[in-house]
Amino acid sequence: MPRIMTGLACLAATLLAATSAHAQGTVKVGAILSYSGQFADTGIQLDNGIKLYMKQHGDTVAGKKIEIVRKDNAGIAPDVAKRLAQESIVRDKVDILAGFDLTPNAMAAADVSVQAKKFMVNMNAATSIVITKSPYMVRTSFTVAMVNEALGTWAYKTGSRRAYTLVSDFAPGHDGEQAFQRAFKEAGGEIVGSARYPTSNIDFTAFIQRAKDANPDVIYIWTPGGTQPAAIGKSIAERGIDKSKIRIVGQGELAFEEALKGMGDAGLGIITAFHYDYNHQSPTNKAFVEAYNAEFKRNPDMFSVGGYDGMHVIYEALKKTNGNTDAEALVNAAKGLKWESPRGPMSIDPETRDVVETVYIRKVEKVNGQLVNVEIDKIENQKDPSNARMKK
Amino acid sequence: MITSAFGVLFDGFAYGMLLFLLSVGLSVTLGMMNFVNLAHCTFGMIGGYVTVTLINSFGWPFLATLPVAFLAAAAFSIVCERTMFRRLYRSTDLDQCLLTIGLVFVSIACTAYVYGTIQQPVQLPDYLRGSVQMAGITFGVYRIFLIVFALIVTGALVATLEYTRFGAQVRAAVDNQRMARGLGINVDSAFAITFALGSGLAGLGGALAIDIVGLDPSFALAYLVYVLIVVAVGGLGSIGGSFVAAMLLGISDMAGKYYFPAIGSFLIYLVMISLLMWRPAGLFGKRV
Amino acid sequence: MTAPSPAIAGPHQYLETQIRWRVIEILFWLSTLLPFVLAPDYLVLASQVAITALFALSLDLILGYAGIISLGHAAFFGFGAYAAGLTAKWGWGEPITGLAIAGVAAGLLGYLMSFIIARFRHLALIMITLGFGLLLLEAANSAGWLTGGADGLQGVRMWPLFGMFKFDLYGVTAYWYALIVLFVLFLVARRLTNSPFGLSLRGIRENAVRMRAIGAESRPHLRKIYTLSAVMAGIAGAVLTQTTETVSLGVLDFQRSADILVILILGGAGRLYGGIVGAIIYLIARDQFSGINPQYWYFPIGVLLIVVVLFLPNGILGGFAQLIYSERGQRWFGWLTGPLRRGRKS
C-alpha cells in the first residue's frame, strides 16, 4: 500500500513539475515510432519530418527547450506501444506523447495518455476511431474514411458504375472498404464484388484475377504500402487489365514513390486519392521538398509531412500556453489551429480535435521521364465523416 | 473460370520454382551433414543485394548479375563455413540453430545499415517485362523466364547427382555418412562443395525473387519459414522431394487464395502439418 | 542446479541432495526484490522480465528436461493471454481467477496437442510445432470479431488485486504480481524436476528407446510434461495481459517463440534458472541497445548469440557452473553452492 502512495506521489510531483511553467526548463516529447522491422521506413520518414521542423524553427519554444525522446515500437505491437508510452512518462518524464505510425499502437498508447493526462499528437495513425480514445489527442495526418469516401463519391461522379473492392485484411483496410463502398453506393453505384487479402500477402495474382473476373469498371484497392503496391501494379499488368476500360483507384499508398519505381510503366494511369504528395505544386511545398532533399537526400512523403505538421502543432500550442505542458491547456490551444502546411491548407477541428484538409485526386503520369502523381482534382475542407456521423 | 484458374496455377508454379531454388541447397546440406543452417536465407539475401547493387550502382544488365549473385553467396558461405560452422558439425541441433540465427540477426542489421530498410527496386530489362497471351490465358514473361531457368538448373542438378562421380559421392554421404567415410570418400570436402553450391543457389534464388517478392533486410528471416516448410515436407537430402514440396506449397498457396481467400493463408500450414503427420520423414525423405 | 555430487548410493539420495535449497538460490530470489528499491522507474520492465522468465521456464520443462524442441510455444502463451483478456473484457476482471481460467484453457489446448507431439521427433516435430504456432496466429487474425485482429483486444479492464492494489502506471502492483506468480510456479517446477518423474524425463531426453526397455513408458510422461508446460506458458501470457491491460496478435507470433528459445539457450537449458537468467540478460540488453540505436539492435544480439554458442555451449549458466564447480571455484564459492544443512547428513 505505501508503495502505491509513493508511486502516486511521484506521479503527482512529476505532473506538478511539468506544469510549473517558468523560464528554465525542457519540454520532453516522446516519439514512439517503428524504427526497425517491417514499417521501419515509415518511422524514419516521420522522424525526418520532426527533425526538419526542429532544424528550421530552432529547438526552443516559449522559453523552453524541446527534447525528443525516441522509442522503437518495431511494427504492429500495441502492448509494446503501451509499455513504451508508460516508460516514456515514468522513466524519461516526457510531457507530450507523439508519433504513432500504426493504429493499434496509437490506440494502446491513448490509454496511457488518458491515465497519465498527457497531451498526445497522433502524427500518422489513420483509423477514424483513434481520435476518440483520448480527450488529449489531436491528429495531424488524415483518416482513411475521409480520403476514401471522397474517392468513392468522385469515382461515381466521373463515370464509374460497377466497382470491385480489394483491401488488406485489417482495421484500416476494412475502414477503406467501408468508406469507399458507402460513398460509392450513396452516389448511386453498384458494388459487384469484394475481397480481403491477408496483411502479409506477397503475390496478388489470384486476387487480381478474381477482381477481373467480376467484370467491374473500376477496381478499388487499399494497401498500407511496403512491398505490396509494386506487386499489385505488376499483377495488374500481368493479368492484362486495360486501365482505360477498368479504372484502378485507391488510397495514396498504391502510388507512392517506391511503389512507382518498383512498378515501372505498369503504374501509369493509376488514380489515387490522398492528402499529400511531394509533387504538389505550391511554394510552401516546393521549399519543403527542397529542404528535405538537402537534409535527407530523398523526397518527403505523407509520414514526413505528418511529423512536420505534428511538430508545428506542438510548437504553436506551446506558444499559446506559454510553455505550460498541462494536457488540458495544450489540447485547448491546439483546437482551431489553422495554417498553411506543405500539403496545402489545414486545421485542427475544435470539436473533434481531428484534422481538416484538402483531399487531392491524382493520376500517375510520366513527367520528364519520371512517373509522378499529377493532381487532376481536389476536394477541399474534408473532415472525418464517420466521427461526424456518430455525433448526429 | 478454368482458363483464369490456369493463369493462377501458372503463377503458383513459378512461385514454387522460386521456393525450390531457395530451398534445395538447405535440403541437401541438411540431409548430408545434418547441419541445421538457418542462415540459408541470408545467403539468398546476399545474392539479392549483390544483384541490386550491380544493377543500380554499376549499371550491369540483369542477366549478367545472376552468376555474380551465385558466386558471391557461395563465397560468403564458404567463409562462414570455414570460420564458424565447421566447429559445430558434431554439436546439437539447437546449437547450430542458435549460431545460424545469430548470423541472420547480424546480417539483417548490417544490410539495414548499408542499404537502409526500404524496398530495393530492380529494373528488369524490357524483354523480361509484360505478359504474353496464349490460348486466352495471360502469362507473365518474367514468370516464364523464372520457370524455364529453374527447370534448367534442376536438370543440371539432377544430372550432376546422377551421372557424375561427385554426385555419387554426395548421394552416398546422404544415405549413410559413416559408411561413405569407411569407403574412403572424402565426405568433408564433398560437403564443403555441396554447401557452397547450395548457398550459391540460394543466392541465385534471392536475386530472381526480387521482382516477385521484393527485397529488404527482413528477407533473411521472412522466407526462412517457407524454406523450412519445403525442406521438411520434401524430405531431407532429396532434390526431387524439395521440388515436389515447393510446387505443392506454391500452388496450394495460390489456389487457396484464389478459391478460398478467407482461409488462404491457413492452407499452407494445414497442408504441411497433415503431410508431416502422415509421413514424418517428408515425402521423399529417408530418415527423420 | 545440477551439480556433480560425490559418490551417491542411488537416485533417491541424489534427489534428496538436489532438492535442498542452496545459498546462491536464496540470494538470487532476494535480489529479485531489489528493483523496488534500486530502480523504481523500471518496474514495468522488471515485470516484463518476470513474465518472460516464467515463459522461458515453461519451455525449459519440455526442452531442457524432456528434449522436445518447440518452435511454436508462443501458441500457449498467446492462448492464455487471449483467454485472460477475453475473460476481463466480458466482465470478469478479477486477476487471480482470470489467471486460473487462462491456465486451464492453455492446459486443455496443450493436452490436445500433446497427443500429436509425443508421437514425433526431430525435424518433423520442430516443423509441426512451428506450423501449429503459425496456424493459431492466422486463426486469431481471421477471428477478428473475437480477438480484435491486428488492432488488439479493446476493453480489457482489470479489477484491483485483492480489491486493493490497482494495476497502475508505475508498475508496482504489476511487478509484485508477476514476481509472486513466477516464484510459485518455479517452486512447482523445481519440485517436479527433482522428483522421480523429473529423472524419468531426463532419461527420455537422453534415450527414449532405452527408457521403454526399462519399463518407463515415454509417451504418457511426455504428454504430462507438455500439458504442464502449456499451463505455465498460458499463465505467463495471462499475467502479461492483466498487467498491461492489452493483448494483441504479437503474443502468438513466430518472433515470440523464436525469442524465448534464444533466451532459454542463452541462459542454459535444463537448469531451471537458465530461462530466468536468460530473460534478465536478453530483455535488459534489448532495452539498453534499443535505446542507443533503435534500428540496429539486432547486431549486438546476433554477435552475443554467436559468441555464446561458440564459447559457452551450455549457456551462460553452464559456463558459470563450470567455473564454480571447478576445483578452485569450489574452494572460493563452495559455501554458495552447498546444500543447506538441516542437522541431517546427506
Side-chain angles (χ1 to χ4, degrees):
Chain A
M1 200 58 115
R3 269 176 246 278
I4 310 238
M5 300 312 299
T6 326
L8 283 173
C10 288
L11 192 59
T14 320
L15 284 175
L16 274 173
T19 52
S20 59
H22 288 294
Q24 272 304 315
T26 333
V27 171
K28 287 192 181 177
V29 177
I32 300 178
L33 294 164
S34 300
Y35 290 98
S36 66
Q38 206 193 350
F39 295 93
D41 204 49
T42 67
I44 293 171
Q45 285 283 70
L46 211 156
D47 196 48
N48 287 345
I50 294 177
K51 286 196 204 140
L52 186 62
Y53 192 88
M54 289 185 71
K55 180 158 194 255
Q56 291 182 337
H57 296 84
D59 61 359
T60 316
V61 180
K64 301 281 187 84
K65 189 158 163 2
I66 307 284
E67 198 187 303
I68 310 278
V69 177
R70 295 175 164 80
K71 299 264 181 210
D72 182 11
N73 214 145
I76 301 182
D79 51 335
V80 174
K82 195 165 194 179
R83 176 169 60 87
L84 291 176
Q86 255 177 320
E87 279 174 11
S88 310
I89 295 176
V90 165
R91 259 201 241 179
D92 306 288
K93 318 276 186 279
V94 304
D95 307 295
I96 300 175
L97 291 171
F100 310 110
D101 42 10
L102 298 160
T103 299
N105 301 345
M107 297 227 267
D111 270 350
V112 178
S113 151
V114 173
Q115 244 189 325
K117 293 208 180 30
K118 296 286 179 194
F119 184 51
M120 179 169 160
V121 182
N122 173 6
M123 298 172 171
N124 188 56
T127 313
S128 310
I129 199 171
V130 174
I131 199 75
T132 60
K133 294 289 178 184
S134 163
Y136 308 116
M137 190 195 316
V138 299
R139 180 169 14 212
T140 60
S141 51
F142 69 108
T143 71
V144 172
M146 163 174 79
V147 165
N148 290 289
E149 278 203 24
L151 181 61
T153 321
W154 183 89
Y156 187 84
K157 267 206 303 198
T158 51
S160 300
R161 296 287 177 265
R162 301 161 46 85
Y164 184 96
T165 66
L166 177 65
V167 305
S168 182
D169 197 1
F170 71 131
H174 302 164
D175 260 12
E177 182 191 76
Q178 267 174 14
F180 182 85
Q181 285 190 356
R182 171 194 231 118
F184 193 70
K185 280 198 284 204
E186 259 178 26
E190 185 199 343
I191 307 289
V192 298
S194 70
R196 295 175 173 179
Y197 62 83
T199 52
S200 52
N201 194 49
I202 300 158
D203 192 281
F204 288 85
T205 326
F207 296 104
I208 299 288
Q209 186 62 50
R210 267 183 92 100
K212 191 179 176 196
D213 289 342
N215 208 13
D217 56 19
V218 61
I219 301 182
Y220 167 79
I221 303 183
W222 193 97
T223 164
T227 43
Q228 294 178 336
I232 293 175
K234 282 184 227 169
S235 286
I236 292 176
E238 276 170 21
R239 293 286 110 219
I241 293 183
D242 182 356
K243 291 199 203 75
S244 58
K245 300 216 181 75
I246 307 181
R247 291 203 289 181
I248 307 287
V249 305
Q251 189 173 303
E253 281 92 339
L254 189 59
F256 260 12
E257 207 185 338
E258 287 106 56
L260 293 179
K261 279 206 203 119
M263 271 193 246
D265 285 348
L268 278 171
I270 291 185
I271 298 173
T272 51
F274 219 38
H275 60 297
Y276 181 72
D277 188 83
Y278 71 91
N279 197 38
H280 175 64
Q281 306 294 328
S282 85
T284 325
N285 191 37
K286 282 218 165 93
F288 176 63
V289 173
E290 254 182 57
Y292 198 90
N293 268 293
E295 190 76 18
F296 306 110
K297 315 273 182 293
R298 60 189 282 201
N299 284 322
D301 57 18
M302 65 158 185
F303 304 109
S304 325
V305 86
Y308 190 79
D309 285 321
M311 285 314 286
H312 181 85
V313 165
I314 291 178
Y315 273 48
E316 292 302 308
L318 276 173
K319 279 190 205 156
K320 270 199 190 165
T321 65
N322 217 11
N324 181 3
T325 54
D326 172 60
E328 283 280 353
L330 281 174
V331 131
N332 289 329
K335 286 182 189 170
L337 272 178
K338 265 202 199 15
W339 71 99
E340 177 75 21
S341 146
R343 68 181 89 173
M346 76 181 269
S347 65
I348 305 285
D349 184 282
E351 256 192 60
T352 61
R353 295 168 279 107
D354 214 336
V355 57
V356 181
E357 61 194 342
T358 309
V359 174
Y360 302 96
I361 310 287
R362 317 92 55 90
K363 195 169 190 186
V364 177
E365 287 174 12
K366 214 166 208 164
V367 173
N368 296 334
Q370 261 198 330
L371 291 172
V372 285
N373 288 308
V374 173
E375 282 162 24
I376 58 177
D377 207 345
K378 68 178 180 199
I379 309 156
E380 296 185 314
N381 286 328
Q382 289 297 291
K383 289 190 197 187
D384 179 73
S386 40
N387 287 332
R389 258 193 288 273
M390 279 199 286
K391 291 218 188 289
K392 282 191 196 141
Chain B
M1 266 302 179
I2 306 283
T3 48
S4 49
F6 264 128
V8 171
L9 287 178
F10 169 77
D11 274 4
F13 193 60
Y15 185 49
M17 298 270 37
L18 195 62
L19 283 178
F20 170 67
L21 281 179
L22 280 171
S23 327
V24 66
L26 185 61
S27 179
V28 177
T29 47
L30 248 178
M32 258 187 105
M33 269 293 211
N34 255 317
F35 181 71
V36 183
N37 176 21
L38 296 183
H40 190 71
C41 285
T42 299
F43 302 134
M45 185 171 77
I46 289 176
Y49 273 104
V50 162
T51 298
V52 162
T53 316
L54 285 177
I55 292 184
N56 291 341
S57 306
F58 295 99
W60 281 38
F62 178 67
L63 287 181
T65 65
L66 294 179
V68 184
F70 178 89
L71 289 170
F76 185 72
S77 75
I78 293 179
V79 169
C80 289
E81 202 250 335
R82 297 272 129 167
T83 53
M84 292 185 282
F85 297 173
R86 211 150 250 257
R87 307 195 203 191
L88 295 182
Y89 287 159
R90 308 266 174 269
S91 295
T92 60
D93 287 349
L94 275 176
D95 280 344
Q96 296 168 351
C97 283
L98 202 58
L99 179 86
T100 48
I101 289 260
L103 188 62
V104 173
F105 284 173
V106 170
S107 70
I108 292 180
C110 289
T111 40
Y113 184 71
V114 175
Y115 290 96
T117 48
I118 57 174
Q119 284 300 314
Q120 299 295 332
V122 63
Q123 291 288 19
L124 292 177
D126 285 328
Y127 53 86
L128 280 180
R129 294 209 237 163
S131 53
V132 291
Q133 286 266 4
M134 275 194 282
I137 315 173
T138 331
F139 293 103
V141 172
Y142 187 69
R143 282 169 214 263
I144 297 180
F145 164 70
L146 191 60
I147 292 181
V148 170
F149 191 85
L151 284 174
I152 295 178
V153 168
T154 314
L157 273 177
V158 172
T160 315
L161 213 59
E162 291 293 314
Y163 299 116
T164 65
R165 200 154 151 268
F166 173 70
Q169 289 180 339
V170 170
R171 273 183 293 137
V174 170
D175 269 349
N176 194 328
Q177 208 199 92
R178 236 175 251 161
M179 197 58 138
R181 272 188 218 271
L183 287 175
I185 295 180
N186 190 343
V187 172
D188 285 333
S189 82
F191 179 71
I193 299 177
T194 315
F195 191 73
L197 265 175
S199 310
L201 278 176
L204 197 59
L208 289 169
I210 305 176
D211 192 61
I212 304 222
V213 301
L215 179 67
D216 66 20
S218 66
F219 183 90
L221 213 49
Y223 281 88
L224 187 59
V225 179
Y226 293 115
V227 166
L228 282 177
I229 293 180
V230 169
V231 167
V233 169
L236 303 181
S238 161
I239 294 186
S242 298
F243 190 84
V244 171
M247 274 325 107
L248 216 60
L249 199 68
I251 292 179
S252 57
D253 194 38
M254 284 292 153
K257 286 187 187 141
Y258 185 70
Y259 290 109
F260 315 105
I263 65 158
S265 31
F266 270 108
L267 214 60
I268 316 181
Y269 307 129
L270 275 175
V271 167
M272 173 188 75
I273 293 182
S274 335
L275 275 173
L276 278 180
M277 283 175 64
W278 173 46
R279 297 181 81 99
L283 291 173
F284 293 87
K286 296 180 176 58
R287 58 166 191 279
V288 181
Chain C
M1 306 242 199
T2 49
S5 24
I8 35 173
H12 289 289
Q13 277 79 348
Y14 172 69
L15 288 179
E16 261 179 50
T17 44
Q18 291 305 313
I19 199 91
R20 297 263 188 76
W21 281 87
R22 284 139 212 269
V23 176
I24 197 170
E25 291 184 71
I26 299 188
L27 284 180
F28 174 78
W29 286 104
L30 283 178
S31 68
T32 60
L33 295 174
L34 284 177
F36 285 112
V37 177
L38 291 182
D41 286 346
Y42 287 75
L43 292 181
V44 173
L45 179 64
S47 54
Q48 298 281 323
V49 172
I51 291 170
T52 310
L54 182 57
F55 186 30
L57 187 63
S58 77
L59 187 65
D60 201 8
L61 285 178
I62 55 171
L63 181 67
Y65 287 92
I68 302 174
I69 303 179
S70 172
L71 280 186
H73 214 53
F76 304 113
F77 183 81
F79 199 70
Y82 271 104
L86 285 170
T87 313
K89 180 177 173 159
W90 289 335
W92 183 254
E94 205 284 304
I96 307 227
T97 45
L99 262 196
I101 294 176
V104 167
L108 272 172
L109 186 66
Y111 182 66
L112 291 173
M113 271 307 288
S114 69
F115 284 94
I116 302 177
I117 296 292
R119 288 184 49 186
F120 297 96
R121 314 212 68 205
H122 300 302
L123 191 61
L125 177 63
I126 297 180
M127 293 312 293
I128 288 180
T129 55
L130 176 64
F132 178 63
L134 291 172
L135 204 62
L136 202 64
L137 175 64
E138 280 305 324
N141 192 16
S142 303
W145 53 273
L146 182 67
T147 59
D151 283 342
L153 207 59
Q154 303 294 321
V156 176
R157 292 282 167 261
M158 302 307 303
W159 301 345
L161 191 58
F162 302 129
M164 285 192 294
F165 304 104
K166 272 198 66 159
F167 286 106
D168 65 338
L169 199 64
Y170 267 78
V172 177
T173 315
Y175 186 47
W176 272 118
Y177 187 55
L179 192 60
I180 292 178
V181 171
L182 171 66
F183 188 63
V184 167
L185 287 176
F186 174 80
L187 287 176
V188 170
R190 194 171 185 280
R191 192 75 190 75
L192 201 72
T193 50
N194 286 317
S195 69
F197 178 66
L199 276 187
S200 67
L201 283 179
R202 278 182 244 176
I204 294 171
R205 177 189 68 199
E206 298 302 323
N207 198 327
V209 179
R210 224 184 228 167
M211 286 301 287
R212 301 257 288 283
I214 62 173
E217 267 299 329
S218 60
R219 283 201 198 155
H221 280 62
L222 288 176
R223 287 204 295 267
K224 278 188 209 134
I225 196 70
Y226 196 78
T227 309
L228 184 65
S229 164
V231 171
M232 256 196 192
I235 290 183
V239 174
L240 178 65
T241 304
Q242 294 180 337
T243 52
T244 56
E245 289 187 320
T246 177
V247 54
S248 70
L249 294 176
V251 295
L252 286 168
D253 65 17
F254 174 60
Q255 186 73 47
R256 199 168 284 265
S257 294
D259 276 351
I260 204 66
L261 190 60
V262 166
I263 285 174
L264 180 62
I265 306 267
L266 207 67
R271 288 169 191 276
L272 276 194
Y273 283 95
I276 306 180
V277 168
I280 295 175
I281 296 179
Y282 188 82
L283 287 183
I284 293 184
R286 185 165 75 176
D287 189 71
Q288 296 304 307
F289 286 137
S290 240
I292 295 175
N293 204 339
Q295 277 179 283
Y296 309 121
W297 83 274
Y298 271 136
F299 186 84
I301 297 292
V303 169
L304 189 66
L305 284 179
I306 296 178
V307 162
V308 164
V309 171
L310 288 180
F311 304 113
L312 282 176
N314 280 321
I316 290 174
L317 276 193
F320 206 54
Q322 261 191 325
L323 269 176
I324 290 205
Y325 288 113
S326 63
E327 275 272 359
R328 255 224 201 126
Q330 279 295 288
R331 256 188 287 150
W332 287 92
F333 298 110
W335 63 280
L336 274 180
T337 55
L340 288 176
R341 262 169 263 274
R342 284 218 196 123
R344 253 191 326 166
K345 290 254 168 79
S346 47

